Amino acid sequence: MEMTVKLQVFEGPLDLLLHLLEKNKVNIYDIPIVEITNQYMEYIAEMKRQDLNVVSEFLVMAATLIDIKSRMLLPAPETEDEEEEDPRAELVQQLLEYKMYKCMAYELRDRQMDAERVLFKEPTIPPEVAEYEEPVNMEELVSDVTLARLNEIFKSIMKKQVDKIDPIRSKFGKIEKEEVSLSDKMAYLENYCLTHSRFSFRSLLEAQAGKMEIIVTFLAILELMKTGKIFISQEHTFDDILIQSKIVA
């Protein structure tokens, strides 16, 4: 009959080493490397029978322990000036750091468990406190206010308002968009040409209401020239341009 032994689960090789040190009640700075290595190897042997997938990290530590064990069994070289280095020093440092982080993890876990048992109440203000308004004594508030002081305050406020005004932009007029379409202006010119077979380009533009109308009128003249409905002529340079209509009623 086979007897199944359930091994304690360790988070890694350093966790197993700490367990062995605590179990044997030995000083972490003076590890009995031979005894600890033997116990460690017994645990590894049992682990290999149960789960080979998690044993690789433990085997690396086992090799490290055997290396330390062999160096401690060999006679140390005789040196006069240099102090003999303890083969266990690096392992001790790793164990101390791991133990520190493990203690920190336990502390954080305990704090999390304590926090789960704490309930917080949203801050609220009683209605009587929220509605309270500190009384104002008007006599005390205006006790040092005179007509001269009020006049100074008024002038100061008015000066600030004047300072806000841009001396340049404030003189600009209101810009309004002129709705003038090219098709409407072309229709206007065609009707105009029915009653004016020959007319002045300058006079036509001067009769327009604004800049936008002048621009659109000029574009309309170009469109009518393109279609051959009007043509222009000029006797001399800088003379007035004359428009001749070809539109017949």
Side-chain angles (χ1 to χ4, degrees):
M1 179 178 178
E2 292 185 1
M3 183 176 65
T4 303
V5 179
K6 182 174 178 60
L7 293 177
Q8 183 175 347
V9 178
F10 297 99
E11 296 180 358
L14 291 175
D15 196 29
L16 172 57
L17 281 178
L18 280 178
H19 169 74
L20 294 176
L21 293 176
E22 292 171 359
K23 177 183 176 182
N24 290 274
K25 297 180 180 180
V26 297
N27 187 352
I28 195 171
Y29 292 100
D30 188 20
I31 300 174
I33 198 68
V34 176
E35 181 64 25
I36 294 298
T37 301
N38 292 337
Q39 293 181 20
Y40 186 91
M41 295 304 297
E42 290 176 4
Y43 182 88
I44 294 296
E46 188 63 35
M47 182 187 294
K48 288 169 66 177
R49 297 191 189 98
Q50 295 196 9
D51 191 354
L52 291 175
N53 294 325
V54 297
V55 79
S56 58
E57 292 185 5
F58 291 86
L59 288 176
V60 173
M61 180 58 71
T64 303
L65 290 173
I66 293 173
D67 177 65
I68 296 173
K69 177 181 177 181
S70 62
R71 282 192 288 163
M72 293 187 69
L73 292 175
L74 293 173
E78 296 182 1
T79 56
E80 297 180 357
D81 300 331
E82 297 182 3
E83 185 178 350
E84 182 181 349
E85 181 181 355
D86 190 342
R88 302 168 296 179
E90 185 176 351
L91 178 61
V92 169
Q93 183 63 31
Q94 292 180 14
L95 286 169
L96 289 173
E97 291 180 0
Y98 179 78
K99 188 174 183 179
M100 178 184 66
Y101 289 123
K102 190 172 182 179
C103 291
M104 291 170 61
Y106 286 151
E107 177 68 21
L108 292 174
R109 183 194 62 186
D110 293 341
R111 292 192 180 188
Q112 181 182 5
M113 294 175 63
D114 293 340
E116 291 175 352
R117 294 192 292 267
V118 177
L119 298 177
F120 294 93
K121 177 182 175 295
E122 293 292 334
T124 56
I125 302 176
E128 57 273 15
V129 176
E131 296 172 0
Y132 174 77
E133 294 183 2
E134 186 177 354
V136 179
N137 188 334
M138 296 302 298
E139 293 182 0
E140 182 181 349
L141 185 65
V142 299
S143 59
D144 59 342
V145 178
T146 62
L147 290 177
R149 177 60 181 159
L150 288 174
N151 186 40
E152 290 178 3
I153 295 173
F154 177 76
K155 288 182 178 179
S156 174
I157 293 173
M158 294 303 296
K159 184 177 184 303
K160 289 181 180 178
Q161 294 299 320
V162 173
D163 291 342
K164 290 180 181 178
I165 300 175
D166 192 318
I168 298 176
R169 291 186 174 86
S170 61
K171 297 179 182 179
F172 290 168
K174 185 178 179 181
I175 300 175
E176 296 183 357
K177 185 178 180 182
E178 299 180 24
E179 298 292 342
V180 184
S181 69
L182 180 60
S183 58
D184 291 345
K185 187 57 68 174
M186 288 177 64
Y188 161 77
L189 281 177
E190 288 180 1
N191 291 330
Y192 187 84
C193 288
L194 290 174
T195 56
H196 300 78
S197 59
R198 186 179 176 86
F199 53 92
S200 167
F201 175 73
R202 184 189 300 275
S203 300
L204 178 65
L205 295 185
E206 289 176 351
Q208 306 308 309
K211 284 186 178 180
M212 184 57 66
E213 278 207 37
I214 292 174
I215 295 171
V216 177
T217 300
F218 180 73
L219 294 175
I221 291 173
L222 295 178
E223 288 295 326
L224 292 178
M225 287 174 58
K226 187 188 299 182
T227 58
K229 293 182 179 181
I230 63 172
F231 71 92
I232 63 173
S233 61
Q234 186 181 38
E235 293 292 335
H236 302 94
T237 306
F238 303 118
D239 283 355
D240 190 12
I241 298 173
L242 298 177
I243 300 175
Q244 182 72 40
S245 172
K246 291 185 178 181
I247 300 175
V248 180

